[in-house]
Every structure is written in structure tokens, then in C-alpha cells.
């Protein structure tokens, strides 16, 4: 994420656009020019179609340059009182039961020596301790019968 | 509806701590194995040695186990 990112809302959902990820594949405006019109400013018109239509097309974006969130979820964050910092991020860390920790989205990953590790759209980090490719998961957790919430 | 523009923050950082847990720090969504999600600024230490009794959290068991990486 960076400061060129934009967001647009119709009160129900918020659409996020990450220009650096946009490869101008044109999918969005061929599907829904009423909403995604690169000749207009702002180029996203959230009143141009129904929420369902917008969500459908956001999901078609091949590069994740487009993303969306329901505003009620965003408000939920506020109510929980955890919006002290900036809120927009696609970073997600997820625990797989009896398996690895899965990272998705914008993280910076550092190895034990402080060196930055390449991380892809999705990275699985070993939790069982037995992987042959530490710090990454290589599936060994299944062989050793690792259990963990 | 008006267009709103915002600036966004630094990406969250994930550090593999030597012979210890995974630290995740910053703004991100965390989903536990039951599917429960917590969002916002947080700092978490995830067990990497397999031996914690408070999984997914580290409880320092790694010192006993002697995790080496
Ligand atoms: S579909 Fe995605 S990648 Fe293609 S032009 Fe639209 S935003 Fe950019
Ligand atoms: S969690 Fe998959 S190999 Fe350790
Ligand atoms: S890494 Fe600390 S208890 Fe497992």
C-alpha cells in the first residue's frame, strides 16, 4: 500500500484502488463503464451501478488493483476502538489449524538475520518447527502430526 | 456521494525471531483457526517451535525445546 492509493464509497461499500497494481487490463471499464470510467474524474463513480454489480466487477480485476470492503465492517473496526492508526490495508495473517501461519497482502517479511525475505501474494510460515525449508512451511506438519490452534 | 481520498500507512512487518516466535507488528487483519478476526494495530507473537501450550501464541517453551532457526 502507498499514498497513491484511493478509495471511493457509496455509503454501503468502499472500493479501494491501488494504481501501482493496475496493469490497465481494461476489464473493469469494459464490464461497467458507468462506474469505472478512466476519462472521468473521479474515475470511479460509485453511483453508476448497484452495489452488487460493483462488487462483481471489482472481483474481476486480474491484479487486485481493485478491492472492496463493506462499510459496516469498516465501522465495526471503529466501534471496537482499534482504529487508532490508519485503517486501510489488505494485509492478513491467518492461522491454519494444525498447520502454518499464512500471510496475504502487504507485509514486509524479515528473516532471523534481519534480512528481508521475498514474499509473494501468499506465504506460509512454519509453526510446527519441523519444516526443511524454515522459516517457510513445506508440508512436514502433516507428517509429524502437528496439532495447534 | 463525495470522493474521499486518504493516505495509507506502512505495511505491517513480520519478523522471524531467531530460535523463537514469529512477530507480526503493524496494521493488519488477524484470523485465528476458528475464523475469528481482529483488525487494526496489533503486535502478536506466534509460536514457531510447535511446543507452546498457549497456541497460537508463544509462551517461551521454545527455550526448553531448543528451536534452532
Ligand atoms: S481491471 Fe484492475 S487492472 Fe484492469 S484496469 Fe481495472 S483496475 Fe486496472
Ligand atoms: S507448519 Fe507446515 S511444515 Fe511446519
Ligand atoms: S516459539 Fe515460543 S513457545 Fe514456540
Amino acid at each position: 500500500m502507498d499514498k497513491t492509493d484511493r478509495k471511493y464509497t457509496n455509503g454501503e461499500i468502499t472500493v479501494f484502488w491501488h494504481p501501482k497494481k493496475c496493469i490497465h487490463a481494461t476489464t473493469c471499464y469494459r464490464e461497467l463503464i458507468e462506474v469505472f470510467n478512466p476519462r472521468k474524474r473521479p474515475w470511479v463513480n460509485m453511483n453508476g451501478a448497484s452495489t452488487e454489480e460493483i462488487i462483481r466487477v471489482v472481483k474481476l480485476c486480474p491484479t487486485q488493483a481493485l478491492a472492496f470492503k463493506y462499510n459496516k465492517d469498516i465501522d465495526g473496526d471503529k466501534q471496537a476502538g482499534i482504529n487508532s492508526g490508519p485503517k486501510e490495508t489488505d494485509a492478513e495473517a491467518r492461522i491454519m489449524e494444525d498447520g502454518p501461519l499464512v500471510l496475504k497482502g502487504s507485509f514486509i517479511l524479515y528473516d532471523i538475520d534481519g534480512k528481508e525475505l521475498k514474499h509473494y501474494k501468499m506465504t506460509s510460515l512454519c509453526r510446527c518447527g519441523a519444516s526443511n525449508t524454515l522459516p517457510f512451511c513445506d508440508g512436514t506438519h502433516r507428517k509429524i502430526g502437528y496439532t495447534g490452534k | 456521494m463525495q470522493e474521499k481520498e486518504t493516505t495509507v500507512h506502512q505495511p505491517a512487518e513480520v519478523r522471524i525471531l531467531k530460535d523463537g516466535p514469529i512477530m507480526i507488528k503493524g496494521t493488519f487483519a488477524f484470523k485465528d483457526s476458528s475464523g475469528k478476526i481482529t483488525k487494526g494495530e496489533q503486535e502478536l507473537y506466534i509460536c514457531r517451535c510447535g511446543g507452546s501450550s498457549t497456541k497460537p501464541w508463544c509462551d517461551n517453551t521454545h527455550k526448553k525445546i531448543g528451536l534452532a532457526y
Side-chain angles (χ1 to χ4, degrees), chain A residues 12-82:
Chain A
E12 188 181 7
I13 58 165
T14 298
V15 168
F16 301 89
W17 183 55
H18 314 302
K20 290 211 171 135
K21 289 192 186 153
C22 177
I23 54 164
H24 306 285
T26 73
T27 312
C28 55
Y29 54 94
R30 270 190 284 127
E31 285 288 331
L32 199 59
I33 190 78
E34 296 81 3
V35 174
F36 302 100
N37 189 339
R39 290 175 196 276
K40 290 203 175 146
R41 289 293 172 271
W43 81 280
V44 178
N45 169 16
M46 291 298 287
N47 298 315
S50 69
T51 296
E52 290 70 31
E53 267 290 272
I54 296 174
I55 291 175
R56 183 183 68 84
V57 174
V58 164
K59 287 185 178 164
L60 291 176
C61 174
T63 66
Q64 299 175 337
L66 289 173
F68 81 96
K69 250 190 189 174
Y70 286 98
N71 286 10
K72 62 170 160 40
D73 296 340
I74 301 174
D75 293 346
D77 296 354
K78 275 187 207 146
Q79 277 158 20
I82 43 178

Side-chain angles (χ1 to χ4, degrees), chain B residues 19-21 46-52 57-62 67:
Chain B
D19 307 334
I46 307 294
C47 171
R48 205 160 68 79
C49 71
S52 169
W57 320 122
C58 164
D59 70 353
N60 275 323
T61 302
H62 58 265
L67 170 68

Side-chain angles (χ1 to χ4, degrees), chain A residues 14 20 25 33 42 46 51 58 79 87 92 105 113 120-121 137 143 146-147:
Chain A
T14 298
K20 290 211 171 135
I33 190 78
M46 291 298 287
T51 296
V58 164
Q79 277 158 20
K87 295 185 300 295
E92 182 191 292
D113 52 7
Y120 304 92
K121 267 188 197 144
C137 164
K143 254 186 262 158
Y146 170 74
T147 56

Side-chain angles (χ1 to χ4, degrees), chain A residues 98-101 124-134 136-142 144 146:
Chain A
D98 306 335
L101 168 74
S124 298
L125 296 176
C126 175
R127 288 205 296 142
C128 73
S131 170
N132 299 304
T133 57
L134 288 172
F136 302 106
C137 164
D138 70 351
T140 303
H141 58 269
R142 262 178 245 123
I144 67 164
Y146 170 74

Side-chain angles (χ1 to χ4, degrees), chain A residues 106-119:
Chain A
S106 327
F107 281 103
I108 308 180
L109 177 59
Y110 298 98
D111 205 353
I112 46 173
D113 52 7
K115 282 211 191 91
E116 198 173 328
L117 284 169
K118 250 229 163 68
H119 115 81

